[in-house]
Amino acid sequence: MRLGSWGAALGLAGLLAVAVALPPVVKIGAIFTEDQRDSATELAFKHAVYKINKDKTLLPYTSLVYDIQYVPRDDSFHASKKACNQVQYGVHAVFGPSDPLLGAHIHSICDALDIPHLEARLDLDTDVREFSINLHPAQHLLNTAFQDVMAFLNWTKVAIIYEEDYGLIKLRELVRSPHNGDLEIHLRQADPESYRAVLKEIKSKEIHNIVIDTKPSNMQHFLKGILQLQMNDYKYHYLFTTFDMETFDLEDFKYNFVNMTAFRVVDVADLSVQEVLRDMARFQANINTVSPLNSSFIQTEAALIYDSVFVFAIGLQTLEQSHTLRLSNVSCDKEQPWDGGLSLINYINAVEFKGLSGPIEFKEGRRIQFKLDLLKLKQHALVKVGEWRPGAGVNITDRAAFFDPGTMNVTLVVTTILEQPYVMLKTQNNVVGNERYEGFCIDLLREIASMVGFEYRIELVPDSKYGVIDLETGEWNGIVRQLMDKKADLAVGSMTINYARESVIDFTKPFMNLGISILFKVPASQQTRLFSFMNPLAMDIWLYVFSAYVLVSITMFVVARFSPYEWHNPHPCDFENELVENQFSLANSFWFTIGTLMQQGSDLNPKATSTRIVGGIWWFFTLIIISSYTANLAAFLTVERMITPIENAEDLAGQTEIPYGTLESGSTMTFFRDSMIETYKKMWRFMENRKPSVFVPTYEEGIQKVLEGNYAFLMESTMLDYTVQRDCNLTQIGGLLDSKGYGIATPMGSPWRDKISLAILDLQEKGEIQMLYDKWWKNTGETCSRNEKGKESKANSLGVDNIGGVFVVLLCGLAFAVIIAICEFCYNSKKNAITEKRSASAPHQSLCSEMGGELCFALRCRGSRQRPALRRQCSKCLPGATYVPAMLDIPPHPPQPPSRAPPTNGLSAHVCSEETSLRERMMIPLELQHHIHQQHQIHQEIDN
């Protein structure tokens, strides 16, 4: 057989050598303890020498001759004497022993005499040993491997059981490592007589992760103690420091799903290793030894001693190419070092090849290159589930092998909290066990259990809290406490993943993403005001429009008075008339402006350029104002508006009238308590100092407080969505304050976490979780119907509440006009009474008689468009003044004039005399005189 990269080329190089640099016989010595007599270690040593001498590949002209000495364990005196005898015999190298104390004494002799010392034992001495070659992996590298595995398994609490004081020194780096700052370690020393007591103590402390460093010979006693204390279930995980787990009988543990993990150095699945083992088994039969050698596996010490012989042979073969190996002629008495020892040890230290224990490489006599196979106990055997190499760390190739729940018949304790719609009690009374519960999380748990393969029992957490840490005592409560105390295996519910919880328990991948939002009572609809039609324009705009109206009206009046083109002759047919008038009096100016503002116009038209400019600018202004008002009026009258006192968290933090709070001992409370954002810190100070307390023990109480009014509840968005969809009196204010997720919680280091995470990811990819969400949030038949549809696409019908104010304005305007008419009536009657009193020719009557006469006529005229002028006349009017009706009142054939002229019709006093003179000069037709006569008769009837 050929090992490593060494082949025929090396042998050919030896054959072509000019001179033989190696003696025909090279002597080597081996020291074994008495308990190793005829052991697998001795057999491996003998077989290695036999293999090298038989194949002649490495040393074609040289044969190895060994001398084996046996010494009692811990007897350094006899070991030293045996080593000196071998030195005197002329050995070129010494192998063994495996005992640490004996090995140190043997090395001191070899170091003094420059004889190579090849070892296959664990050496804790970190000092460089010049003439020592140790094939055992360095302990500090092994401790790193153990740390990597513990980190992968998420161990936070572990017990280390060691048997000898040497074992404590061996694992001291594991205990003192700065990477294990969060790891709680319990050290216990035990022997076969105290195994049960130590295991019982560990069990009472609920420590489920154990590192075992015991003698291989006592391993069966330890395993027996595990069985006796019933610590052989899936909750416990044992990590063994021995490399020979495959040599132990684990039949009682295979089918009970006990987690047992260990490393091995020899990969028995390697074909070259299997061939060596078969050759070794045949060699054992030929020498008639009774050593317990199995062709399926080999002990680590035997494999290392086998490789050490080949390392020595390769070193000799390399030395042969450039140096001559002198015979060893030294002794312990002379203390004269061997001249060829230094060259030989240097060539051995440079050896690199692959042996039974994997890749081999040395640095200053320490092995720095090797491969450890990570083994895990499964139902049928120990299987390889990963590898570890120096510098590369652990590489887990079969993560699911650390727990194989597919065929497990285990029942997990699942703790939860009643919370709609996650976990709820069924209304039926005849259900027991898990059937009592329903909800989103119950359905999710059922799906995960069927995929992962476990049974479960649901229990409610005693204090009905999710779990928060008490900053004063440092103690947790609620579900977190249950998981930390290992009183539950899983926690399923609306359990938020956060930093504080993740530091003491484990979470799976989140099955739902969410955030914190604000629940508030739907504000009452805005009270529809009677004059809501004024809402499109702000009050200051209305005032500005009114001011502009007054300003433009006065400007029009002033400009019209100044402009000569606005003055005209009221009687265009009378060319001799010297009187002119202006149509834009102050009243007419206001009338013109208001007419155009109302888009109606008037019978007044500006004639001058200046007044037209004023009118045009005013028309443009009214065009923009009325268009803007009309456009905005639709939105204000058709869109329902809410009066919301708060819009977001900043509004909530900036006021004190509306109290707000969170669920007590929940993640939302923790978020505000630990937040570094100033707004949320301010909110936390308000909530913390508010009396009475704004924190509520359950979501139901928080929702009820919101419904009672004047309270805002900070809660998680998924629960808020569920609540809002079922109660139209509740609404969400603002967006999400943070982002987080719900996960299934497990105790720290639980083997179920990864498998459940994979199941959650699978359910998410298949859309199963979304279907469950729709089932419990939207399709329950309990959602409320909000009257919000079509608000954006279809305008609401206008009612009296929206435009009733227009009717009020109309009625008020009509009433105001009636009042003004009454005032004009009273004023005119009083004026006429005063005029008659001053006139000597007019009969005198009181004010009441005057008002009565006018009122009687107004009531008796039956809608006639004509009325006689009153008897009154101004002092300057002639007695014979004749009443001239309007042109529209002149019939086609006017009657004959009466015998006496009627009084004046109340024209302005300052033109009374002129108009009378004009009437006298006019020729009155015969028909008009007849009509005047009729009017006079009507007037007499009124007087009577």
Side-chain angles (χ1 to χ4, degrees):
M1 171 190 167
R2 302 182 183 185
L3 298 174
S5 61
W6 304 94
L10 295 177
L12 183 61
L15 292 174
L16 297 178
V18 178
V20 177
L22 294 179
V25 175
V26 174
K27 299 178 182 179
I28 58 176
I31 299 177
F32 299 111
T33 57
E34 291 289 350
D35 56 354
Q36 291 180 323
R37 188 186 295 269
D38 295 330
S39 65
T41 303
E42 182 181 351
L43 177 63
F45 176 78
K46 292 179 179 180
H47 181 260
V49 175
Y50 168 78
K51 188 73 173 178
I52 294 172
N53 292 336
K54 180 182 178 182
D55 290 348
K56 294 298 182 179
T57 303
L58 293 176
L59 303 174
Y61 302 106
T62 302
S63 298
L64 298 179
V65 177
Y66 58 81
D67 176 67
I68 297 178
Q69 299 291 330
Y70 304 98
V71 297
R73 187 174 291 273
D74 299 331
D75 190 346
S76 58
F77 174 73
H78 286 87
S80 300
K81 289 183 62 177
K82 297 290 185 181
C84 289
N85 291 336
Q86 290 180 339
V87 169
Q88 190 173 2
Y89 176 69
V91 297
H92 293 79
V94 177
F95 294 81
S98 61
D99 184 79
L101 181 61
L102 299 181
H105 284 80
I106 300 303
H107 175 74
S108 62
I109 296 175
C110 294
D111 188 58
L113 300 178
D114 288 1
I115 296 176
H117 183 208
L118 287 88
E119 300 179 277
R121 67 177 179 89
L122 179 62
D123 187 8
L124 301 180
D125 192 355
T126 58
D127 296 335
V128 177
R129 295 183 175 181
E130 187 175 1
F131 285 89
S132 174
I133 300 293
N134 196 338
L135 274 78
H136 195 283
Q139 184 60 37
H140 72 278
L141 296 177
L142 296 180
N143 288 336
T144 303
F146 294 139
Q147 290 173 0
D148 291 345
V149 173
M150 293 164 63
F152 169 76
L153 296 175
N154 296 315
W155 284 6
T156 58
K157 188 176 183 181
V158 61
I160 298 178
I161 300 177
Y162 63 95
E163 189 166 340
E164 298 177 314
D165 295 338
Y166 187 78
L168 178 60
I169 300 174
K170 179 172 64 175
L171 299 175
R172 66 180 183 271
E173 294 181 1
L174 186 63
V175 178
R176 299 175 181 176
S177 174
H179 302 289
N180 298 334
D182 298 332
L183 183 63
E184 181 182 344
I185 299 178
H186 298 260
L187 291 171
R188 294 294 182 272
Q189 186 174 13
D191 53 31
E193 297 180 357
S194 60
Y195 281 155
R196 288 192 58 185
V198 172
L199 288 173
K200 187 175 182 181
E201 178 187 359
I202 292 174
K203 183 179 180 180
S204 64
K205 292 185 177 181
E206 297 185 349
I207 302 175
H208 298 89
N209 304 313
I210 306 173
V211 178
I212 300 99
D213 183 64
T214 62
K215 294 179 180 179
S217 58
N218 297 330
M219 183 61 69
Q220 293 301 329
H221 295 283
F222 183 83
L223 297 177
K224 184 178 180 181
I226 293 176
L227 293 174
Q228 291 174 343
L229 293 174
Q230 296 182 352
M231 299 173 66
N232 58 333
D233 58 21
Y234 71 94
K235 292 183 179 180
Y236 291 92
H237 201 136
Y238 301 93
L239 177 60
F240 296 90
T241 61
T242 178
F243 295 140
D244 297 325
M245 275 296 291
E246 292 176 300
T247 63
F248 302 129
D249 182 13
L250 303 176
E251 192 68 23
D252 296 330
F253 300 90
K254 290 180 181 178
Y255 304 100
N256 211 27
F257 308 102
V258 183
N259 293 293
M260 289 186 171
T261 306
F263 284 114
R264 73 179 179 190
V265 176
V266 182
D267 186 2
V268 294
D270 191 287
L271 296 179
S272 60
V273 173
Q274 293 178 2
E275 184 178 352
V276 171
L277 294 181
R278 287 193 296 267
D279 291 344
M280 197 176 298
R282 290 192 293 268
F283 177 77
Q284 174 190 4
N286 293 334
I287 63 176
N288 297 322
T289 181
V290 293
S291 59
L293 185 62
N294 192 310
S295 60
S296 300
F297 49 82
I298 184 174
Q299 293 181 351
T300 302
E301 186 179 0
L304 293 178
I305 202 69
Y306 179 90
D307 287 342
S308 65
V309 176
F310 273 86
V311 168
F312 176 74
I314 295 172
L316 283 178
Q317 193 271 345
T318 309
L319 174 68
E320 181 184 15
Q321 299 176 7
S322 57
H323 292 78
T324 300
L325 183 64
R326 297 182 179 87
L327 297 177
S328 175
N329 188 16
V330 295
S331 67
C332 295
D333 297 333
K334 296 180 181 180
E335 297 183 4
Q336 182 67 31
W338 177 35
D339 295 337
L342 184 59
S343 298
L344 179 58
I345 196 68
N346 289 334
Y347 279 102
I348 296 175
N349 196 36
V351 170
E352 295 182 15
F353 89 112
K354 180 181 178 183
L356 286 178
S357 59
I360 297 175
E361 184 180 347
F362 302 100
K363 181 180 181 181
E364 297 178 348
R366 305 282 182 175
R367 185 172 179 178
I368 60 173
Q369 188 59 257
F370 57 91
K371 175 179 70 71
L372 299 179
D373 292 338
L374 184 61
L375 303 180
K376 175 69 174 59
L377 179 63
K378 299 188 76 174
Q379 275 189 313
H380 304 291
L382 285 165
V383 296
K384 178 182 176 180
V385 296
E387 293 181 355
W388 188 91
R389 294 176 183 269
V394 65
N395 179 25
I396 305 299
T397 57
D398 186 8
R399 292 175 175 265
F402 283 91
F403 62 108
D404 186 8
T407 56
M408 283 187 180
N409 187 18
V410 295
T411 301
L412 303 183
V413 178
V414 179
T415 183
T416 186
I417 290 179
L418 292 177
E419 198 72 70
Q420 292 183 341
Y422 301 99
V423 180
M424 300 176 289
L425 285 174
K426 291 183 178 179
T427 56
Q428 297 91 332
N429 298 326
N430 56 349
V431 290
V432 295
N434 296 337
E435 297 300 322
R436 295 174 297 167
Y437 305 98
E438 64 177 355
F440 173 83
C441 288
I442 301 301
D443 290 349
L444 179 64
L445 177 62
R446 187 180 301 111
E447 293 288 339
I448 292 175
S450 63
M451 295 177 63
V452 177
F454 61 84
E455 300 294 331
Y456 58 91
R457 185 179 72 254
I458 300 177
E459 295 181 358
L460 298 178
V461 64
D463 58 0
S464 299
K465 297 182 184 299
Y466 287 98
V468 67
I469 189 172
D470 191 328
L471 297 179
E472 297 181 356
T473 63
E475 294 293 328
W476 286 84
N477 59 8
I479 290 178
V480 179
R481 181 79 266 167
Q482 294 290 105
L483 295 174
M484 292 176 63
D485 295 341
K486 302 296 175 63
K487 295 180 180 179
D489 300 298
L490 298 176
V492 179
S494 53
M495 190 82 171
T496 306
I497 304 172
N498 58 26
Y499 171 78
R501 291 174 179 171
E502 187 72 50
S503 62
V504 293
I505 59 176
D506 281 341
F507 280 96
T508 63
K509 299 292 183 182
F511 59 82
M512 184 178 289
N513 295 315
L514 62 143
I516 298 175
S517 191
I518 304 172
L519 180 70
F520 198 65
K521 188 175 182 181
V522 173
S525 299
Q526 183 176 359
Q527 186 71 25
T528 304
R529 296 185 301 172
L530 193 60
F531 297 97
S532 59
F533 63 87
M534 298 184 66
N535 292 338
L537 297 181
M539 183 55 62
D540 53 350
I541 298 298
W542 283 113
L543 295 177
Y544 293 153
V545 170
F546 178 76
S547 301
Y549 162 69
V550 174
L551 177 63
V552 171
S553 300
I554 295 176
T555 303
M556 177 64 77
F557 170 73
V558 174
V559 170
R561 301 287 292 183
F562 275 93
S563 176
Y565 300 103
E566 288 295 340
W567 296 91
H568 65 280
N569 185 1
H571 304 288
C573 297
D574 186 6
F575 297 100
E576 297 179 359
N577 183 23
E578 297 179 357
L579 296 176
V580 292
E581 66 179 13
N582 195 322
Q583 63 178 346
F584 285 103
S585 63
L586 188 62
N588 287 349
S589 298
F590 278 93
W591 176 248
F592 170 80
T593 309
I594 196 64
T596 54
L597 180 63
M598 297 301 175
Q599 305 289 295
Q600 297 301 317
S602 65
D603 55 349
L604 300 173
N605 295 313
K607 299 177 181 179
T609 302
S610 57
T611 54
R612 288 181 177 180
I613 292 175
V614 175
I617 291 298
W618 175 247
W619 292 343
F620 176 77
F621 172 80
T622 57
L623 173 67
I624 301 302
I625 290 296
I626 298 303
S627 299
S628 302
Y629 173 83
T630 305
N632 206 21
L633 180 64
F636 274 85
L637 295 184
T638 59
V639 178
E640 182 181 4
R641 292 183 172 263
M642 302 286 187
I643 301 176
T644 306
I646 54 175
E647 297 290 344
N648 47 44
E650 286 72 16
D651 294 345
L652 204 59
Q655 55 82 45
T656 57
E657 291 79 12
I658 302 175
Y660 48 89
T662 68
L663 186 68
E664 187 177 5
S665 299
S667 61
T668 304
M669 171 182 168
T670 306
F671 168 79
F672 284 98
R673 185 189 66 189
D674 301 336
S675 178
M676 301 303 296
I677 301 176
E678 187 59 35
T679 299
Y680 302 152
K681 290 170 64 176
K682 182 179 180 180
M683 295 174 68
W684 170 250
R685 290 193 295 268
F686 173 84
M687 290 186 286
E688 189 179 26
N689 300 323
R690 184 78 177 189
K691 300 297 180 183
S693 177
V694 293
F695 300 107
V696 294
T698 62
Y699 274 122
E700 287 73 15
E701 291 193 27
I703 295 170
Q704 186 59 38
K705 290 189 68 174
V706 174
L707 289 172
E708 292 173 359
N710 199 41
Y711 180 76
F713 189 39
L714 298 158
M715 61 189 302
E716 290 164 346
S717 58
T718 51
M719 191 65 190
L720 187 146
D721 292 341
Y722 179 83
T723 304
V724 168
Q725 291 186 28
R726 280 153 181 77
D727 195 333
C728 294
N729 294 320
L730 299 175
T731 187
Q732 177 179 344
I733 298 297
L736 301 182
L737 306 186
D738 68 340
S739 179
K740 50 193 172 185
Y742 285 154
I744 296 178
T746 65
M748 188 70 76
S750 173
W752 301 99
R753 184 190 67 170
D754 293 338
K755 197 68 175 179
I756 295 177
S757 294
L758 292 176
I760 290 174
L761 294 177
D762 190 25
L763 291 174
Q764 285 178 337
E765 292 177 0
K766 292 179 180 179
E768 296 288 342
I769 293 181
Q770 182 62 41
M771 293 172 62
L772 291 178
Y773 179 86
D774 294 340
K775 171 186 175 182
W776 290 102
W777 264 258
K778 301 178 181 180
N779 302 331
T780 60
E782 301 174 359
T783 56
C784 72
S785 299
R786 299 178 184 272
N787 189 20
E788 295 178 353
K789 60 180 181 178
K791 275 191 176 181
E792 298 181 357
S793 60
K794 183 179 179 182
N796 295 333
S797 300
L798 298 180
V800 177
D801 294 339
N802 301 107
I803 58 174
V806 178
F807 295 95
V808 174
V809 172
L810 176 62
L811 295 177
C812 291
L814 295 178
F816 183 71
V818 171
I819 294 174
I820 294 299
I822 295 173
C823 293
E824 290 177 344
F825 177 79
C826 296
Y827 174 76
N828 189 57
S829 300
K830 183 178 181 181
K831 180 179 177 183
N832 292 337
I834 295 175
T835 302
E836 291 181 354
K837 191 174 184 179
R838 292 177 180 176
S839 176
S841 59
H844 175 70
Q845 60 181 356
S846 65
L847 175 61
C848 293
S849 301
E850 185 72 21
M851 293 178 65
E854 292 289 343
L855 183 60
C856 289
F857 173 79
L859 295 177
R860 292 177 58 188
C861 67
R862 296 185 180 90
S864 175
R865 297 176 59 191
Q866 299 176 354
R867 59 163 289 176
L870 299 180
R871 298 187 306 271
R872 300 173 295 275
Q873 60 181 356
C874 60
S875 57
K876 295 183 180 182
C877 294
L878 298 176
T882 305
Y883 167 73
V884 181
M887 294 301 297
L888 294 177
D889 293 337
I890 300 176
H893 303 285
Q896 294 296 324
S899 57
R900 69 181 182 90
T904 63
N905 60 351
L907 296 177
S908 300
H910 67 279
V911 295
C912 185
S913 58
E914 289 82 2
E915 291 180 356
T916 303
S917 302
L918 180 60
R919 292 192 187 99
E920 290 179 348
R921 292 194 298 266
M922 290 177 60
M923 295 181 63
I924 301 176
L926 190 62
E927 295 178 351
L928 180 59
Q929 295 177 5
H930 179 67
H931 176 67
I932 295 174
H933 177 68
Q934 290 180 347
Q935 295 293 334
H936 178 64
Q937 290 179 348
I938 294 172
H939 186 66
Q940 286 181 343
E941 291 176 358
I942 294 175
D943 292 340
N944 295 333

